[in-house]
């Protein structure tokens, strides 16, 4: 089972991808995380990507596609993949479809987390990530128990370098002008599922699982109890 989560920055797709990966035993792959790791390590791809990343622009397709397809080579024992932040352009979507079909696989469902632009801007301004694993928190909508410290791994929280007001505006603009076309691409393939992303993390997670259930997708047994509470 292979899923894609599409949503603007601040729609909660990173958080939902982490939850769904655990519940459905999928390997999570976040293009933004892979890029941040490559930039931090100073790999050739990271160096090429950095100027685009720093401006809040899309990194060229060939760099991102190569990085993602390499990451998908090894499923680490998972039942499939859940992609977060990729694809963001039609050429990326086509490259992904082609690679999966070469392996006799395909994307099964694409979940669009729908959140209006004004709510997104407000959420992004309050967003913090942990320095150890990039777990995402929000001082307004998803605070940690101890301010400034990740609940999961106790590492300090920081604001992302591209979460400044100008870069947020630029990234949202790109999403609503460019990435939004992917919805038509996947709608025409009959794979698109729209979920209202304005509700709480738990409610959105429940809504996603509820929409997948009629398609035969259910959490693995040991997670079912937690998901139902
Ligand atoms: P994210 O963490 O998903 O918000 O991504 C952070 C930044 O990484 C974006 O603003 C882009 O510069 C870059 N990026 C992430 N995913 C992609 C992608 N699929 N295509 C192009 N650039 C990307």
């Amino acid at each position: 089972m292979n899923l894609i989560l599409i949503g603007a920055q601040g729609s909660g797709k990173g958080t939902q991808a982490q939850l769904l990966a655990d519940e459905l035993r999928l390997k999570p792959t976040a293009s933004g995380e892979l890029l941040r790791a490559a930039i931090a390590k100073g790999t050739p791809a990271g160096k090429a990507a950095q100027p685009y990343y720093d401006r809040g622009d899309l990194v060229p397709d060939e760099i991102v596609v190569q990085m993602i397809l390499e990451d998908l080579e090894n499923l680490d024992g998972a039942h499939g993949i859940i992609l977060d932040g990729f694809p963001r352009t039609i050429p990326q979507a086509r490259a992904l479809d082609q690679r999966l079909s070469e392996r006799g696989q395909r994307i099964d469902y694409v979940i669009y987390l729908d959140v209006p632009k004004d709510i997104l801007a407000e959420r992004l301004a309050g967003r913090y990530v942990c320095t150890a694993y990039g777990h995402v928190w929000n001082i307004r909508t998803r605070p940690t128990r101890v301010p400034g410290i990740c609940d999961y791994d106790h590492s300090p929280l920081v604001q992302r370098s591209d979460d400044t007001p100008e870069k947020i505006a630029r990234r949202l603009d790109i999403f609503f002008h460019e990435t939004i076309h992917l919805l038509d691409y996947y709608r025409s393939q009959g794979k698109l599922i729209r979920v209202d992303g304005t509700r709480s993390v738990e409610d959105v997670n429940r809504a996603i699982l509820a929409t997948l259930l009629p398609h035969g997708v259910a959490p693995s047994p040991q997670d079912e109890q937690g998901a139902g509470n």
Side-chain angles (χ1 to χ4, degrees), residues 29 31-32 34-35 45 49 58-73 83 85-100 102-103:
T29 292
S31 50
L34 290 179
L35 283 164
L58 288 185
V59 172
D61 287 340
E62 55 275 19
I63 300 175
V64 186
V65 166
Q66 171 80 5
M67 212 176 255
I68 292 280
L69 296 186
E70 265 171 30
D71 191 71
L72 296 185
E73 286 304 315
L83 291 170
F86 181 93
R88 264 175 159 95
T89 66
I90 301 286
Q92 290 180 10
R94 292 210 175 101
L96 175 67
D97 279 351
Q98 191 188 330
R99 175 60 66 95
L100 290 176
E102 282 164 13
R103 294 206 230 140

Side-chain angles (χ1 to χ4, degrees), residues 195-209:
V195 172
D196 176 0
T198 59
R199 292 167 292 171
S200 69
V201 169
E202 294 74 22
D203 283 351
V204 172
N205 179 246
R206 265 193 287 268
I208 294 174
L209 291 173

Side-chain angles (χ1 to χ4, degrees), residues 112-175:
Y112 172 47
L113 287 184
D114 194 359
V115 179
K117 216 171 176 178
D118 51 331
I119 297 183
L120 294 168
E122 195 186 305
R123 281 189 184 174
L124 287 167
R127 179 162 86 170
Y128 286 80
V129 293
C130 86
T131 39
Y133 294 102
H135 294 126
V136 183
W137 302 95
N138 195 295
I139 44 172
R140 292 187 198 111
T141 56
R142 196 175 181 236
T144 49
R145 280 193 292 270
V146 180
I149 301 292
C150 181
D151 279 3
Y152 296 147
D153 55 45
H154 311 296
S155 69
L157 304 185
V158 290
Q159 221 164 4
R160 273 173 44 172
S161 65
D162 57 347
D163 275 350
T164 62
E166 307 75 45
K167 288 178 194 170
I168 287 173
R170 170 106 192 98
R171 288 158 59 219
L172 289 180
D173 212 44
I174 292 173
F175 180 83

